[in-house]
Amino acid sequence: MKFNRLESTCIPLPMENVDTDQIIPARFLKATTREGFGENLFRDWRFDNADQAIPDFILNNPQYGGQVLVAGKNFGCGSSREHAAWALVDYGFRVIISSFFADIFRHNALNNSLLPIQVEADFLDTLFQVIERDARSVVEIDLPAQTLSVIGQDLRTDFEIDGYKKECLLNGYDDIDYLLQRGEAVRHFEQHKAYVF
Amino acid sequence: MQGAAPKTLFDKVWDHHIVQARAGYPDVLYIDRHFIHEVTSPQAFDGLRRRGIGVARPQQTIATADHNVPTQNQHLPIAEPLSRFQVDTLQKNCREFGVELFGLGHEKQGIVHVIGPELGISLPGMTIVCGDSHTSTHGALGAIAFGIGTSQVEQVLATQTLLAARPKTMKIEINGPLGKGVLSKDLILFIISQITTSGATGHFVEYCGSTIRQLSMEARMTICNMSIEMGARGGLIAPDDITFEYLRGKAYVPQGADWEASVRWWKGLASDPGATFDTEYRFDAADIEPMITYGTNPGMGVGVRQHIPRPSGSHHAELDKALHYMGLQEREALLGQKIDYVFIGSCTNSRIEDLRLVANFVKNKHKAPHVNAWIVPGSQAVEQQARAEGLDRIFAEAGFDLRQPGCSACLAMNEDKVPAGKYCVSTSNRNFEGRQGPGARTFLASPLTAAAAAVTGSISDVRDFL
Ligand code: SF4
């Protein structure tokens, strides 16, 4: 999936340390395909034991919608399960904004064209306030320019992304396409490595 | 290497594995060993099929079934259909792509991070990856070992390499002897409580200092295992004589002259004096007590005699939510909290030394009547060894339930779940909401603290018994 520019309303989740066990609980990891995990995204926060929607949870609040999740610091910590990224994508998210991402999650997101945007803590706080004031606030994400702005407001920031990963997202390439072209270098490495095992 | 700038252990191992380094691109890193299991591999094999390619170096990937397997009656077909399908899919994929599988019932089966070191498949100086965050465990041998996502599992299967940006380095030095009743699990829970669950994000940690040097190989694995719980990509420890003695004679280690050559190479991997790290911490082992967590991330831990703290400022909401989930109050004492379950297992603490410690403690004692006490060995080999040493009889007499190997209640994908609202003292690595079953309430602790809780039926200070 390619990614270029996106305009969308946001869903705020101002909690810190949202771990992958919350994003997709282990008992839903039994599927052998990548599809369908969105149904169980944030399962235990979204639904009670009787499978009834919990009205307090933000995804069940009809005021909020969109393809951008705005989350508290250290989003995606815990397990390496890529199912967390698949669940977010399957649910419809294209971008996650936070002041901090757990490493493995960030990789998993990028490998699924889900763009993790890391912003300053102050910017994140302001963005939460903007969304809280008006759930219809729209953000614009411009990947080529690496900017994130709130439309109609004087709120804007640049964001970092690895140049290689940016190229992949813009063109819809993945790492394997790149690595498969390195076969000769790998054979050379194997013949000259410093160790015997 | 005269005149060369001093280098860290991490950088030495990393540099030995660079296939290609290009400005503006992540490094192409060669992967020596790749472990796979049933949960995070099926979509990767599907990806290979879609691309019409095979596994590049099938002999460097090893598979086992662990996350999803039952821990009772393993000789019978798996009852739960989805679990069975996932385990069957792994078997089918391994056969089709020529990957060796230690499946259910195989004498080498076990939790992936237990069997790798145990068989000598994981070695110092290697790069080791697996679609599981606790791959950091293998770092105890002096390897760069880290968890990856399924897309990366596919990358490694397809190319035996990984695209990876070099992380920052962190040194954590701990000096002095550990106190009575204090285990390496307490040490790492203490460190995480100080550094926080995100404090090491973006870093690879090297643990060093006199405390680490004195620890056994298995105790070191417990520490490296939980590196990920402070956000680190992984953790590692310089290989030394304890490492070499641990590995000597294991099934998969290099033999004869290759062994000698390897030991020579390994000895040169230690961080050079004067090597610099991006971040450094230093702790004194004398400050560490038996630890217990009270909240819903592994950083929410204190000494077992302390009270639940009252945090300042922005952390309040997070703690309120955690304590609400746990059914606890701030400033409350942890000692004496009644518990319902004890789980001794997981890739953090399910090795033979852990089982010996527990057996030694519970000998001639009995678990409290209301407690369910599960012991789940990390591998078939650990289980066999425990039986050979008669630990199974000690556990049975103490009322503990010794089960068969697997991840079990560490992540509750199989039927080993802690019921909603119940308290479990667990030797595993995560106390996240619902980790041990929906609504389950987890206290993370060492095997000794868990054993003491099983006996008294409440959170106890194991030092009172020693
Ligand atoms: S025991 Fe727990 S932490 Fe370890 S590999 Fe299994 S599920 Fe992961």
Side-chain angles (χ1 to χ4, degrees), chain B residues 271-386:
Chain B
S271 289
D272 297 323
T276 54
F277 295 78
D278 295 294
T279 313
E280 296 190 21
Y281 286 98
R282 189 173 298 185
F283 298 104
D284 187 344
D287 294 336
I288 305 171
E289 295 186 285
M291 295 285 292
I292 191 98
T293 63
Y294 52 83
T296 53
N297 74 50
M300 294 177 169
V302 287
V304 69
R305 290 200 164 274
Q306 293 174 29
H307 290 213
I308 295 173
R310 191 186 152 76
S312 53
S314 69
H315 292 292
H316 225 275
E318 196 189 2
L319 184 75
D320 284 350
K321 186 172 185 299
L323 293 184
H324 176 76
Y325 180 84
M326 291 295 288
L328 299 169
Q329 315 279 328
E330 58 183 36
R331 295 193 186 162
E332 198 175 1
L334 286 152
L335 214 57
Q337 285 287 342
K338 199 162 163 257
I339 57 120
D340 311 286
Y341 284 76
V342 164
F343 171 61
I344 291 164
S346 90
C347 56
T348 317
N349 284 117
S350 64
R351 297 180 181 80
I352 191 66
E353 285 179 11
D354 300 311
L355 269 55
R356 283 184 193 135
L357 273 170
V358 172
N360 192 38
F361 182 85
V362 301
K363 197 171 184 170
N364 301 323
K365 295 189 186 77
H366 201 277
K367 73 168 183 73
H370 70 274
V371 172
N372 288 295
W374 296 334
I375 299 187
V376 181
S379 69
Q380 300 285 343
V382 171
E383 185 188 347
Q384 290 319 315
Q385 183 67 24

Side-chain angles (χ1 to χ4, degrees), chain A residues 17 21-22 29-30 33 45 78-80 82 103-104 108 164 174-175 177-178 182 189-190 195-196, chain B residues 17 20 22 30 32 43 51 57 80 83 86 132 149-151 155 163 202 318 413 430 433 435:
Chain A
N17 300 316
D21 274 84
Q22 309 316 316
L29 305 187
K30 296 184 183 186
T33 62
W45 288 348
S79 145
S80 64
E82 194 160 320
D103 277 329
I104 305 182
N108 287 342
Y164 164 76
D174 73 12
D175 291 350
D177 300 329
Y178 179 82
R182 306 269 150 341
F189 174 89
E190 286 173 328
Y195 48 93
V196 296
Chain B
H17 290 84
Q20 204 170 64
R22 254 170 101 183
Y30 190 77
D32 294 310
Q43 294 86 352
R51 289 172 205 266
R57 302 287 183 271
E80 213 274 316
S83 300
Q86 218 172 35
D132 185 283
T150 298
S151 294
Q155 281 176 40
L163 270 178
E318 196 189 2
M413 268 192 89
R430 286 187 177 143
E433 287 184 27
R435 174 79 178 184

Side-chain angles (χ1 to χ4, degrees), chain B residues 8 16 42 65 75 99 116 127 145 209 226 294 296 307 311 412-413 425 444-445 454:
Chain B
T8 65
H16 273 301
H75 61 289
V99 170
T127 47
M226 291 194 73
Y294 52 83
T296 53
H307 290 213
M413 268 192 89
V425 177
L444 298 177

Side-chain angles (χ1 to χ4, degrees), chain A residues 15-17 19-22 26-27 29-34 37 44-45 49 73-74 77-83 86 100-104 107-108 111-112 162-164 167 174-180 182 185-187 189-190 193-197, chain B residues 16-20 22 24-26 28 30 32 39 42-43 46 51 57 68 80 82-83 85-86 124 126 131-133 147-152 154-155 159 161 163 197-198 201-202 231 233 258 262 265-266 297 318 321 411 413 430 432-433 435 438:
Chain A
M15 249 175 271
E16 294 188 356
N17 300 316
D19 62 76
T20 51
D21 274 84
Q22 309 316 316
R27 61 187 191 281
L29 305 187
K30 296 184 183 186
T32 54
T33 62
R34 289 172 192 240
F37 289 102
D44 295 336
W45 288 348
N49 292 339
K73 177 181 160 191
N74 201 25
C77 60
S79 145
S80 64
R81 61 186 70 160
E82 194 160 320
H83 311 66
W86 299 335
F100 208 85
F101 291 94
D103 277 329
I104 305 182
H107 277 100
N108 287 342
N111 282 333
N112 289 278
D162 175 284
Y164 164 76
E167 213 179 295
D174 73 12
D175 291 350
I176 297 182
D177 300 329
Y178 179 82
L179 287 172
L180 281 173
R182 306 269 150 341
V186 173
R187 275 186 291 282
F189 174 89
E190 286 173 328
K193 64 188 165 65
Y195 48 93
V196 296
F197 42 80
Chain B
H16 273 301
H17 290 84
I18 294 178
V19 173
Q20 204 170 64
R22 254 170 101 183
Y25 288 79
V28 177
Y30 190 77
D32 294 310
V39 177
Q43 294 86 352
D46 277 350
R51 289 172 205 266
R57 302 287 183 271
N68 218 338
E80 213 274 316
L82 287 175
S83 300
F85 183 69
Q86 218 172 35
M126 278 185 167
D132 185 283
S133 57
I148 56 177
T150 298
S151 294
Q152 293 169 305
E154 187 181 337
Q155 281 176 40
T159 69
T161 62
L163 270 178
T197 50
S198 59
T201 300
R233 286 296 272 139
D258 283 349
S262 297
W265 190 65
W266 293 336
N297 74 50
E318 196 189 2
K321 186 172 185 299
L411 90 165
M413 268 192 89
R430 286 187 177 143
F432 296 153
E433 287 184 27
R435 174 79 178 184

Side-chain angles (χ1 to χ4, degrees), chain B residues 66-67 111-113 132 134 225 346-347 407 410-411 429 435:
Chain B
D66 57 1
H67 279 63
I111 302 174
V112 57
H113 312 310
D132 185 283
H134 294 97
N225 174 277
S346 90
C347 56
C407 294
C410 172
L411 90 165
N429 42 48
R435 174 79 178 184

